[in-house]
Amino acid sequence: MTKIVAVAGKGGVGKTSLAGAFVKVLVEKYPDKKILAIDADPAVGLSTVLNIEVDKTIDDIRKEVIKNVEDGDTKSAVELLGEAKYEIYDAIKEQDGYAFIAIGRPETAGCYCRINSYLKEVITLLSEQFDYVVIDGEAGIEQINRRVMEKVTHLVLVTDASKKGCQVVKTIKNVADELVMYEKAGVIVNRIPDKKVIELMDIGGLPLLSVIENDMKLAEADIKGENILTLSDDDRIVAGAAEALCNIGLI
């Protein structure tokens, strides 16, 4: 049974760094398991955190199929979509201990529901070949349902100490209850100046998975453009990610 963890929250709370830390923890904990990292944020931030050069995204493939259809390609739609499936598999970047694929930035106008639905099915089928899937989504959860997959098993919501961050977490949870099938959900409170502020925060009764204070080691790694996988296990972001994965039942 594939475990699919989606990471969501408002912009600027460190969710992409946490998604990268999740990959690090899972790779080290389960060296014999197949792990897939999906960058579902149009900004393609997870690839930067993991130092991966993205050659082709799912949306690049989607646009190729749409262009062929619009140009009156003589191939049948079935053939075109079949080729797209193989292109998606070719777009996977094999890394040390895990695989990576980016969804990309949708720029094609118009409604291509059948193409979008097909590609989402392919991503779902691809994910089923892995033991663990980590999805870094853009701010919100609707896009994971719309462009990636309809079901995740674990939903990790990330906030900072701000009231806005907490409100976004609660809103995402409400939307996810309607749109996304999931088994477990919880909150990581990240980038806080002092753990005492937790007492003042309202996360809507959601389980608190971990609390992470400001991490200067991570800030330094970001500035230098270093791979988050090079951080040590006792660095705050990594230790907090491991605690969250433990509390939500993934390790």
Side-chain angles (χ1 to χ4, degrees):
M1 182 70 181
T2 305
K3 303 296 185 184
I4 303 169
V5 52
V7 187
K10 86 174 182 69
V13 295
K15 64 178 182 54
T16 297
S17 295
L18 277 162
F22 284 166
V23 173
K24 171 182 171 62
V25 172
L26 290 171
V27 166
E28 293 178 353
K29 179 71 175 178
Y30 302 118
D32 58 334
K33 300 292 186 181
K34 296 182 69 177
I35 298 164
L36 175 66
I38 298 180
D39 192 340
D41 190 332
V44 200
L46 187 58
S47 64
T48 302
V49 166
L50 296 172
N51 272 6
I52 297 173
E53 192 71 34
V54 177
D55 300 318
K56 179 173 283 192
T57 69
I58 300 295
D59 281 313
D60 291 333
I61 297 166
R62 177 185 285 111
K63 282 177 274 191
E64 287 176 11
V65 174
I66 290 171
K67 184 178 185 301
N68 287 334
V69 171
E70 291 179 336
D71 290 347
D73 194 303
T74 54
K75 291 182 180 179
S76 70
V78 173
E79 284 182 281
L80 289 171
L81 289 172
E83 290 177 6
K85 177 179 179 179
Y86 292 112
E87 286 195 51
I88 288 176
Y89 281 81
D90 288 340
I92 297 172
K93 306 277 284 190
E94 295 292 342
Q95 304 296 306
D96 187 13
Y98 69 99
F100 173 91
I101 194 164
I103 303 300
R105 183 190 302 274
E107 295 174 349
T108 305
C111 179
Y112 298 90
C113 298
R114 289 187 179 180
I115 293 171
N116 293 338
S117 177
Y118 173 83
L119 293 178
K120 187 166 70 171
E121 287 178 17
V122 172
I123 296 168
T124 299
L125 288 171
L126 167 66
S127 298
E128 289 173 354
Q129 299 175 26
F130 291 82
D131 299 297
Y132 293 89
V133 178
V134 177
I135 305 172
D136 177 37
E138 62 182 322
I141 196 71
E142 302 96 326
Q143 160 263 14
I144 289 178
N145 171 271
R146 187 174 71 251
R147 298 178 57 227
V148 186
M149 58 185 64
E150 293 174 349
K151 180 180 180 181
V152 301
T153 58
H154 297 72
L155 180 59
V156 176
L157 306 175
V158 185
T159 184
D160 53 15
S162 69
K163 184 174 182 179
K164 182 179 179 181
C166 294
Q167 187 59 52
V168 169
V169 158
K170 291 186 285 186
T171 300
I172 292 174
K173 169 64 164 54
N174 291 337
V175 172
D177 286 345
E178 296 181 14
L179 292 182
V180 181
M181 294 180 285
Y182 67 90
E183 296 172 11
K184 295 182 179 181
V187 176
I188 295 177
V189 179
N190 190 33
R191 294 181 174 174
I192 63 170
D194 191 300
K195 290 188 177 182
K196 292 181 181 178
V197 304
I198 293 297
E199 300 170 8
L200 306 174
M201 295 175 63
D202 175 14
I203 55 174
L206 283 159
L208 182 61
L209 301 177
S210 67
V211 178
I212 306 172
E213 294 181 87
N214 290 325
D215 190 341
M216 292 308 298
K217 291 280 187 70
L218 176 63
E220 185 178 329
D222 281 343
I223 292 170
K224 294 180 178 178
E226 294 176 348
N227 190 331
I228 198 169
L229 301 187
T230 63
L231 292 178
S232 66
D233 291 346
D234 59 357
D235 284 335
R236 289 176 176 176
I237 190 76
V238 180
E243 181 184 7
L245 290 177
C246 180
N247 285 332
I248 205 168
L250 283 167
I251 62 172

